[in-house]
Each structure stands twice: as C-alpha cells, then as structure tokens.
C-alpha cells in the first residue's frame, strides 16, 4: 500500500482478517482517504514481484529501504506463518520469531498494528 505522498507500506496480516483502512490510517498518523494499493508497476519496481506474488520475502528487493513493514499483531500468536519464496507456486512455513529474524536480516523493523 502507499499513501498519497510517497510512503510505501507492506502490510502482513492473517488471511481471514479484513483491513479497516480508517483505523490503519489513524494508527499510521495519516488521513483515512490517503491509503491506496500500490500499482503493478510499483510492486515490480520496489519488490520485484507482481500482484498475487507479494510476500514478506520480496522485501529483500527493497534495496533503497522505501517500504515500511507493518505486521498485524495477531501474527504473533500464529503457530506458523506461510509465505511465498518470491514465486507463488511454492509456500514456506516459519514461526513468527523466524519472520522477525528474516526481516531484521533485511534491515527491516516492523511496526505492529492492531
């Protein structure tokens, strides 16, 4: 996602969780109408993936550190977290702690959201 200026966000949440954009914008200190989904071109440029292949592992392609990582708090209590390994034909499983370690290795410190 992104805001109308130029801030880019990667939001990772459980698959049955609906996004309340108004609440999310408030948590980020943004106006509620400022958030929108990134375009195909932006996804490819920033993360090297297209829609349907977006994964936290694609953050390794954000070499200019333009994308802020947001993680839904409910992921902390999940026994396993699934992610695509930069292709949508495979899935890997990892713990929340391992996800945080992988993000840290990429220089990403996630912001927890409700």
């Amino acid at each position: 996602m992104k805001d109308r200026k130029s801030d880019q966000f990667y939001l990772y949440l459980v698959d049955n969780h609906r996004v309340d954009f108004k609440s999310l914008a408030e948590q980020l200190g943004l106006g509620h109408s400022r958030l929108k989904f990134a375009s195909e071109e932006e996804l490819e440029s920033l993360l090297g993936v297209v829609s349907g292949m977006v994964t936290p592992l694609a953050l390794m392609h954000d070499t200019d550190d333009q994308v802020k990582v947001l993680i839904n708090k409910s992921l902390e209590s999940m026994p396993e977290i699934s992610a695509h390994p930069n292709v949508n034909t495979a899935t890997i499983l990892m713990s929340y702690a391992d996800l945080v370690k992988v993000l840290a290795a990429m220089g990403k410190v996630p912001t927890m959201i409700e």
Side-chain angles (χ1 to χ4, degrees):
M1 295 182 311
K2 65 182 210 164
D3 75 359
R4 286 193 182 166
K5 290 189 267 181
S6 62
D7 290 335
Q8 306 285 336
F9 302 98
Y10 175 85
L11 173 61
Y12 197 42
L13 53 118
V14 293
D15 63 357
N16 63 351
H17 189 89
R18 293 190 61 169
V19 178
D20 179 343
F21 282 95
K22 183 177 180 182
S23 173
L24 179 58
E26 287 173 3
Q27 290 179 64
L28 297 173
L30 304 171
H32 72 276
S33 64
R34 294 179 55 171
L35 287 173
K36 66 180 189 175
F37 289 104
S39 70
E40 287 285 331
E41 294 79 21
E42 290 165 323
L43 285 173
E44 196 164 355
S45 171
L46 289 168
L47 300 178
V49 295
V50 295
S51 183
M53 292 177 52
V54 180
T55 172
L57 302 178
L59 290 161
M60 73 171 81
H61 300 292
D62 179 29
T63 56
D64 294 331
D65 199 29
Q66 297 178 65
V67 182
K68 297 173 184 150
V69 179
L70 311 174
I71 294 183
N72 182 257
K73 187 162 180 56
S74 61
L75 285 174
E76 284 181 307
S77 62
M78 300 290 294
E80 292 180 320
I81 297 171
S82 62
H84 294 308
N86 290 315
V87 295
N88 64 358
T89 56
T91 302
I92 61 167
L93 298 175
M94 67 182 104
S95 68
Y96 174 79
D98 285 341
L99 172 65
V100 172
K101 288 177 189 175
V102 168
L103 292 172
M106 291 183 232
K108 300 289 186 183
V109 178
T111 298
M112 298 301 287
I113 58 158
E114 295 295 323

